[in-house]
Amino acid sequence: MAFDFFGLFGSSDNPPDPSPKIISYKPEIKGTDDKSLKQSISDTSSIFRLKKEAPPDGEGLARRASADIAALTDTLWGSGYYDGIATVLIDGVDISKGDGAIRQAAARAEYYRNRSAVPVSIVVTPGEQFKLRDVVVKDTKTGRAFPADILPEKVISLKNGDAAPTAGILAAEARIVDRFRSLGHPFAKVVGRQPVVDHPAHAVDMTFVIDPGPKAGLGTISIKGSSSVDPAVIRSFVYTEEGDPYSPQAVSEIKKTVSNISALGSVRVRESKQLDENGNLPIDVEVADRPPNLIGFSTKYSTTDGPGVKAYWANRNLFGGGEVLRIDTDLSFLTLPKSSPKRDELDWARLGGKVSVSFVKPALWGTRNDLLASITGAREATDGYTSRWVNGTVAIKHRFSDKFYAQAGIEVERGQTSDAYGRLDYTLVGTPISVNYDSTDNALDPTKGIKLSASIAPYPTFLGSSSGFVVAKAQGSTYYALDEDARYILAARLGIGSIMGSGLMNIPANRRFYAGGGGSVRGYSYRSLSPKGDNGDPVGGKSLLEGSVEARIKVTDTIGVVPFFDFGTAFADSYPDFGENMQYAAGVGLRYYTAIGPIRADVAFPLNKRQGDKPVVFYLSLGQAF
């Protein structure tokens, strides 16, 4: 049990050992095989809830059991057993018979002191469970039932012949209120619940009386709290406007989007208790800062890609406008194939690294335009090439909504690459443009929605590029839950790319397309899927096609398995040539779900293994593969 990290083996349910100082007892439920009813009784009964806190004497046990009688009757009624009877026996003594029975039960319990656990039985005679016969939801103003287009049956989710437990009725009330709130009625409430119990027929007729309240729009959105971030910046991350239709989802989205400001530690959205003069509901957004400085690191390891480590520092509110200044470092060491005689040598030429400094100024002049600037220096070492380069980028990002944004900027890069084609010194000056759409519900573990991204980056010679070409890329992924609890999810990804306007040898090796690795086609070495040079090393391609399909299955709340299938490669021409070899891989992954996201362990098998490919590859990382 000490090593039961995942909660798979349960816990001890035994009462305390008998001793001179306590009256240990062992309770049981008799009279019913209904597992749901038994669970409700054990959850309600203090006899069960306090069984590990044994009373000091027999009278304490008898009084504890006596106090349970009314609660047990309520439990039976709440489960739909309106003719049900419950009592408690202590060593065979029915404590419901009065004070004499309680004294007798206490004496019996004392007999077991320091010997064994006292037998305590909760005996129920539930009788027949009552069923719903008629369910009506009325408008308190008109006295008439709501039409099906306003209140569909699936919302009420109670029908003739259903069991009539109190929990189900209360849940139906909550769904009804939520329905009216989603239709724009913020003050919807239940003003009456009118059950009629027909004992001879073992039936219940239920009438709900609902006051929807006025329909409203969203009112003035006020920024409050102790934050030092400019309120205009915070307001730019609220994508609703005064007069937009009210809904709980719209209010929830306000909290979600404002929380994207990294300088804020807490965001609380409060709805007003009354409408304004325009019939709108004012909203208060209360915010508070988090510590501005942030440091972190991460590590990774793949049997094909090798080890890597990252570290970063950031200030999340540099000038009081939510500005983020961040420094990132990334070191990696290329793992050579087993067949390589230099595999075990410490060759510094296989060391890669990157240092970048980035700055983000959100909400320029209170708009939804963000300024992004970065400068990066890197040395890359792969099986196919080495490169050294320095890149500077300045861009403007416009947020159309929390799900959709576009970005355009200017990029300058100076570098040198060496590969099978030799050494290339290059300069790139371009104007990259991109669009992104993301409707998924979770960045690290999406269960629904889609992600779409597309970019085009022209590097013309008239701007100063040493070789003119255009890079176009697009990628999409989708996620679909097969059940309401999202325990079974289908996920798919497809990526394409093309470089046009120049020959392969005039395109820097680090700008060409490659496939393979943990974030691409698992089972193959990082960037190993591409056309090859005369020496057999990958040289990269001018086009790319890759994709993945996964079935994400939760076995428990914390453990999941993921069978997957990947495919892809890079092509020599600007457009995919399906006559070239497409590589395929399949495998299975293990997921351990934590509060910050799933820990991913994948085992992948190349299906059309080439010479030099490993028969099996293992990956360990945080978050889903895509």
Side-chain angles (χ1 to χ4, degrees), residues 292-610:
N293 292 304
L294 172 71
I295 59 173
F297 72 95
S298 63
T299 61
K300 65 178 181 177
Y301 180 78
S302 164
T303 55
T304 56
D305 303 347
V309 60
K310 295 181 180 181
Y312 60 87
W313 168 88
N315 184 293
R316 297 179 282 206
N317 192 21
L318 192 63
F319 303 121
E323 300 89 353
V324 178
L325 176 65
R326 178 168 172 144
I327 301 174
D328 287 86
T329 60
D330 184 350
L331 291 175
S332 59
F333 192 79
L334 175 65
T335 297
L336 296 178
K338 283 186 177 180
S339 58
S340 172
K342 297 182 179 181
R343 174 182 172 88
D344 297 324
E345 295 181 8
L346 184 60
D347 185 357
W348 294 111
R350 290 153 54 192
L351 181 67
K354 181 188 296 185
V355 177
S356 65
V357 180
S358 61
F359 176 76
V360 178
K361 172 67 179 83
L364 287 170
W365 306 290
T367 68
R368 293 178 185 167
N369 296 319
D370 304 333
L371 172 67
L372 297 83
S374 67
I375 183 168
T376 303
R379 183 187 190 280
E380 295 178 284
T382 73
D383 275 346
Y385 70 87
T386 60
S387 69
R388 295 165 294 281
W389 49 267
V390 176
N391 178 287
T393 302
V394 177
I396 295 293
K397 171 183 173 181
H398 179 73
R399 295 175 272 112
F400 294 96
S401 70
D402 64 308
K403 299 179 177 64
F404 177 49
Y405 71 87
Q407 183 173 312
I410 299 174
E411 177 186 9
V412 179
E413 182 170 304
R414 177 68 177 165
Q416 180 188 94
T417 63
S418 299
D419 64 356
Y421 294 131
R423 172 174 159 172
L424 176 67
D425 295 295
Y426 69 91
T427 300
L428 296 178
V429 182
T431 55
I433 301 171
S434 63
V435 292
N436 288 266
Y437 177 81
D438 186 349
S439 65
T440 57
D441 57 343
N442 187 297
L444 289 177
D445 187 23
T447 64
K448 62 181 179 180
I450 61 174
K451 292 181 183 179
L452 298 172
S453 63
S455 65
I456 184 167
Y459 300 97
T461 54
F462 66 80
L463 287 181
S465 296
S466 54
S467 179
F469 56 89
V470 177
V471 181
K473 294 184 286 187
Q475 180 165 290
S477 56
T478 184
Y479 311 87
Y480 180 74
L482 300 178
D483 63 311
E484 291 185 1
D485 296 328
R487 301 184 73 87
Y488 303 90
I489 299 168
L490 295 179
R493 174 185 67 94
L494 182 66
I496 58 175
S498 176
I499 303 176
M500 300 163 285
S502 185
L504 191 64
M505 289 185 293
N506 294 321
I507 300 170
N510 59 315
R511 293 288 178 150
R512 302 171 196 157
F513 290 114
Y514 304 83
S520 177
V521 183
R522 286 162 286 189
Y524 298 92
S525 296
Y526 178 59
R527 292 189 166 190
S528 67
L529 304 185
S530 85
K532 296 185 181 298
D534 294 337
N535 60 0
D537 289 337
V539 295
K542 294 174 64 178
S543 61
L544 172 76
L545 177 66
E546 62 180 13
S548 302
V549 179
E550 292 189 346
R552 299 173 181 174
I553 304 166
K554 274 193 172 182
V555 180
T556 71
D557 289 339
T558 57
I559 301 296
V561 294
V562 180
F564 60 84
F565 174 76
D566 295 346
F567 64 91
T569 195
F571 304 90
D573 295 327
S574 295
Y575 302 97
D577 179 2
F578 296 101
E580 295 187 28
N581 289 330
M582 184 78 72
Q583 298 302 131
Y584 305 94
V588 64
L590 180 69
R591 302 291 184 269
Y592 176 51
Y593 295 93
T594 71
I596 61 173
I599 297 174
R600 172 168 64 100
D602 288 338
V603 179
F605 305 89
L607 298 182
N608 49 340
K609 188 168 72 75
R610 307 159 304 172

